[in-house]
């Protein structure tokens, strides 16, 4: 059997674009020998130095964003990293596909769907796990720099190091062989020495299905 390549994926459940990328990665797992390993990063942590300078609507979102990532990290600390994938799926489906409020009731539902205790929702309003949250965030963002967001993906490089990148930002999430082609192409450009960026203006909103 072909050994699977680990793909470390840092997410914030707040971000609809990271959600689209994560659904693509689940498709990649079906068509390439890849195993996604989930990690938490935080747009709220990333934007801390900018608070007071951002538009009010975005600052409200950043304040709201602490709860879900704290719950994710609490679940990981108490039950291991293997719970992050199911919990992210449960949260993201509610936040993005269903347009649910990012409140305690929604978080409790997601925890229960993922087979976790509803009591973990208490972490949303606690800084108990913030040291671990910041460490997880730092591990991802240090691979790519401060001028990006979520998601961050990292895979082993040929030289024994890691190939890491932000994105890809895509909608809708490609499926089947289209997902495989995007994965192959992303790795190709990301592994090119000196390559930094391909970008164009987004003209579509995330398309959830």
């Amino acid at each position: 059997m072909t050994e699977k390549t680990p793909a470390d994926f840092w997410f914030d459940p707040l971000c609809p674009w990271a959600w689209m990328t994560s659904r693509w990665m689940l498709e990649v797992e079906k068509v390439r020998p890849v195993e996604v390993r989930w990690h938490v990063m935080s747009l709220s942590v990333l934007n801390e130095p900018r608070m007071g300078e951002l538009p009010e609507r975005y600052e409200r979102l950043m304040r709201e964003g602490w709860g879900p990532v704290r719950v994710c990290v609490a679940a990981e600390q108490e039950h291991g990293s293997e719970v992050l994938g199911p919990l992210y799926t449960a949260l993201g489906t509610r936040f993005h596909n269903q347009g649910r409020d990012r409140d305690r009731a929604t978080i409790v539902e997601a925890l229960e769907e993922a087979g976790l205790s509803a009591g973990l929702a208490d972490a949303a309003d606690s800084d108990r796990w913030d040291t671990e949250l910041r460490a997880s965030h730092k591990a991802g963002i240090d691979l790519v720099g401060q001028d990006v967001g979520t998601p961050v993906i990292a895979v082993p490089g040929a030289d024994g190091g890691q190939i890491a990148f932000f994105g890809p930002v895509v909608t809708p999430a490609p499926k089947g062989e289209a997902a495989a082609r995007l994965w192959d192409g992303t790795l190709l450009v990301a592994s090119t020495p000196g390559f930094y960026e391909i970008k164009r203006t987004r003209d579509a909103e995330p398309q959830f299905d």
Side-chain angles (χ1 to χ4, degrees):
M1 294 182 65
T2 302
E3 184 177 353
K4 291 188 176 182
T5 299
D8 291 292
F9 188 110
W10 279 265
F11 69 91
D12 183 329
L14 197 70
C15 179
W17 292 103
W19 175 245
M20 299 303 302
T21 308
S22 73
R23 300 310 93 181
W24 163 66
M25 284 303 304
L26 295 183
E27 286 292 313
V28 171
E29 283 189 313
K30 299 175 185 177
V31 293
R32 288 292 184 267
V34 170
E35 181 178 12
V36 180
R37 302 188 301 198
W38 304 98
H39 309 275
V40 181
M41 66 179 295
S42 170
L43 293 173
S44 300
V45 171
L46 184 67
N47 284 288
E48 269 186 315
R50 305 181 183 95
M51 293 297 282
E53 303 170 3
L54 300 170
E56 175 56 30
R57 182 188 68 83
Y58 198 72
E59 291 201 353
R60 285 199 306 271
L61 194 62
M62 292 303 97
R63 290 190 291 269
E64 189 178 307
W66 285 99
V69 290
R70 283 170 163 168
V71 170
C72 287
V73 169
E76 179 185 27
Q77 291 298 311
E78 294 195 4
H79 300 284
S81 60
E82 63 273 11
V83 305
L84 283 178
L87 180 55
Y88 182 27
T89 291
L91 286 168
T93 299
R94 285 165 173 78
F95 292 168
H96 305 300
N97 296 63
Q98 298 173 7
R100 300 278 297 280
D101 291 334
R102 290 177 285 268
D103 58 12
R104 182 182 177 88
T106 304
I107 290 172
V108 166
E109 280 188 20
L111 286 165
E112 291 176 342
E113 180 182 307
L116 298 166
S117 168
L120 284 167
D122 293 343
D125 300 312
S126 169
D127 62 2
R128 177 182 177 187
W129 302 110
D130 280 10
T131 298
E132 290 79 4
L133 168 60
R134 292 178 185 277
S136 181
H137 172 86
K138 185 176 187 299
I141 207 70
D142 279 357
L143 295 172
V144 291
Q146 295 289 327
D147 59 343
V148 301
T150 177
V152 170
I153 300 175
V155 297
D159 60 358
Q162 283 187 299
I163 300 167
F165 48 89
F166 160 71
V169 176
V170 61
T171 189
K175 294 180 172 58
E177 189 56 27
R181 289 196 301 270
L182 179 57
W183 177 250
D184 295 342
T186 299
L187 292 189
L188 177 63
V189 297
S191 61
T192 300
F195 176 83
Y196 295 107
E197 188 172 1
I198 288 178
K199 191 171 184 178
R200 57 187 172 190
T201 300
R202 294 195 295 263
D203 59 2
E205 295 298 316
Q207 299 174 37
F208 309 122
D209 57 20

